[in-house]
Amino acid sequence: MSQQSSTAPGPDDHGERQGDRGGQRRATVVDVAQRAGVSTATVSRVMNRNYPVAAATRERVEAAMRELGYVVNAHARALAGASARTVGIIVSELIDPFYAYIARGVERAATDGDRLCLVCCTQGDPQRELAFIELMHERRADAVVLVGGSVEDRAYKAELARRARELDAGGSKLVLCGRPSLGDGVPTVGVEYDNEGGAFAITDHLITRGHERILYLGGPPDLSTARDRLAGHRRALELRGVARDPELEQPGAFSRAFGYRRMAELLCGGPRFTAVFAANDIVAAGAAQALEEAGVRIPQDMSLVGYDDIPVAQELRPRLTTVRIPLEEMGRQAVRVALNGGDEDDWRAPTTGTLRLGTHIVVRESVAAPTSTPSGSGKPRRRS
């Protein structure tokens, strides 16, 4: 039986140390060292595999761990500073499912590699983003995953490139997840998805169902994500020979409130359209609410599609046709491409260049062939 101790638990223990259970507590690294007849430093070396240990000694330590039921706590080990073994992820918004699913992928991949995952939220502030990267650099994080679109700002881009070089010099890596490259010579890796291709495909899907008056709704015009989606939409119109109408491009926030408000305004006196391509599923949900309140049926009177394929797409009625992004897989791959070559990770992807994941349309019930529109009303057909 392991010896009792009144010492308070702390991260130096490296193991899970919870309260007494039936008069016994969980074993610590000190207990393992005493059972194996070695120092605590030797136990740490065996666990971390960061220093040569004689085979006989390693076997003795591992046997002691089994006998005592010792459980390694990867998060405590990272906090104790035994090694960097930390992955940072920086997102704009925690409650947005787009970021949440990517963050879950990052956390799971980090945990699989016995690393602590630290999540930072910028609330869309580029200066907070730069500050968080600096913080992760100070913590000697193995990788810093930067998620989401970026704005075109030369000064910001130069600062980001400088921090990428500092991370690289310290043995870490900046991962651009779903955002454009910083240019040749900047030491980053990237994981992206076929953003423009997905927008092209969903627009083409509407055109092949007979729609030519397609409203593009939402997406901040200065954000790279929105620019790419609008570019894909325009490319599909051009290749299909459909005339582009600037009035049918209504950029705005990636929010439900914008989708609802702008759709309500357009139904009261905007251009004529038979289908809506919402820049993401959240905007689509707002638009769907406005359409329902106006008595416009989906898809009988108006077709509606979105982008991302987050849970709200299946919660809407009818369920939403949308573009699926492999969000969680993007998060996993962001960690893997950054940590290639370490700790028996030879199977991981190369750490140079950009890994691109595909998108595809998920066809549900929100699209139908267009119906005739009353002449001169500027509105879709409404239910009588």
Side-chain angles (χ1 to χ4, degrees):
M1 179 181 295
S2 61
Q3 296 181 0
Q4 298 294 315
S5 172
S6 60
T7 304
D12 289 340
D13 290 337
H14 298 315
E16 292 185 8
R17 187 171 181 175
Q18 301 175 357
D20 288 349
R21 290 187 179 181
Q24 292 187 348
R25 59 171 174 76
R26 293 194 177 188
T28 69
V29 69
V30 175
D31 299 324
V32 174
Q34 290 175 345
R35 176 64 66 92
V38 299
S39 68
T40 55
T42 298
V43 176
S44 293
R45 288 167 182 167
V46 170
M47 291 189 299
N48 296 327
R49 301 178 181 273
N50 61 355
Y51 194 85
V53 177
T57 302
R58 180 181 296 279
E59 290 174 4
R60 198 160 69 249
V61 171
E62 290 176 345
M65 292 170 67
R66 289 193 297 271
E67 291 168 7
L68 294 172
Y70 179 81
V71 179
V72 175
N73 187 325
H75 284 194
R77 187 169 63 198
L79 288 172
S83 69
R85 304 197 69 81
T86 302
V87 172
I89 175 173
I90 302 174
V91 301
S92 178
E93 178 56 72
L94 288 174
I95 62 173
D96 187 322
F98 177 89
Y99 297 107
Y101 278 97
I102 293 176
R104 185 164 77 174
V106 169
E107 191 278 331
R108 288 183 173 178
T111 299
D112 288 345
D114 291 333
R115 286 174 170 84
L116 178 69
C117 181
L118 299 179
V119 181
C120 304
C121 180
T122 69
Q123 297 294 333
D125 184 349
Q127 294 307 310
R128 283 173 59 86
E129 186 175 272
L130 294 171
F132 282 135
I133 295 173
E134 188 71 23
L135 176 64
M136 293 297 105
H137 179 51
E138 291 173 0
R139 291 189 62 92
R140 296 169 48 242
D142 294 332
V144 180
V145 182
L146 198 53
V147 181
S150 63
V151 296
E152 273 298 323
D153 184 303
R154 286 188 177 182
Y156 160 78
K157 191 173 180 180
E159 277 297 304
L160 194 56
R162 182 176 70 81
R163 281 165 170 75
R165 294 186 181 95
E166 289 176 350
L167 286 169
D168 186 68
S172 182
K173 190 67 69 176
L174 181 65
V175 187
L176 305 177
C177 188
R179 66 164 56 195
S181 167
L182 296 176
D184 295 338
V186 181
T188 63
V189 291
V191 177
E192 64 179 24
Y193 56 97
D194 191 5
N195 193 16
E196 183 179 334
F200 174 92
I202 199 78
T203 300
D204 194 63
H205 176 69
L206 290 172
I207 295 172
T208 58
R209 293 300 303 270
H211 296 278
E212 294 191 352
R213 302 288 298 175
I214 302 170
L215 172 69
Y216 180 87
L217 183 66
D222 59 342
L223 193 68
S224 59
T225 304
R227 290 197 305 270
D228 289 345
R229 291 181 189 180
L230 183 55
H233 171 69
R234 289 172 175 173
R235 183 162 62 91
L237 295 176
E238 181 180 0
L239 290 180
R240 287 288 187 177
V242 177
R244 176 184 159 219
D245 183 349
E247 283 194 276
L248 292 177
E249 294 177 2
Q250 298 287 331
F254 273 136
S255 71
R256 184 170 188 144
F258 172 79
Y260 172 80
R261 184 181 67 254
R262 194 73 188 105
M263 176 57 69
E265 292 170 350
L266 291 169
L267 291 175
C268 288
R272 180 178 61 87
F273 52 92
T274 63
V276 180
F277 173 11
N280 70 6
D281 295 343
I282 298 295
V283 173
Q289 181 183 349
L291 289 167
E292 180 182 14
E293 291 179 3
V296 179
R297 299 170 300 170
I298 303 171
Q300 295 94 329
D301 306 322
M302 179 74 65
S303 290
L304 176 66
V305 300
Y307 207 114
D308 291 348
D309 197 28
I310 58 176
V312 71
Q314 295 197 58
E315 294 164 1
L316 290 174
R317 291 294 179 269
R319 299 184 308 159
L320 186 67
T321 292
T322 187
V323 177
R324 175 153 200 178
I325 305 174
L327 296 171
E328 193 168 331
E329 183 62 18
M330 284 178 64
R332 291 194 191 97
Q333 292 297 340
V335 176
R336 292 170 182 170
V337 298
L339 303 180
N340 178 53
D343 294 2
E344 302 157 27
D345 292 336
D346 293 339
W347 55 272
R348 290 179 174 169
T351 57
T352 58
T354 299
L355 174 66
R356 192 175 203 191
L357 304 179
T359 55
H360 64 272
I361 298 175
V362 179
V363 177
R364 298 192 178 101
E365 299 88 36
S366 65
V367 175
T371 58
S372 60
T373 303
S375 61
S377 72
K379 301 177 184 179
R381 171 178 289 178
R382 298 189 178 204
R383 189 170 45 198
S384 57

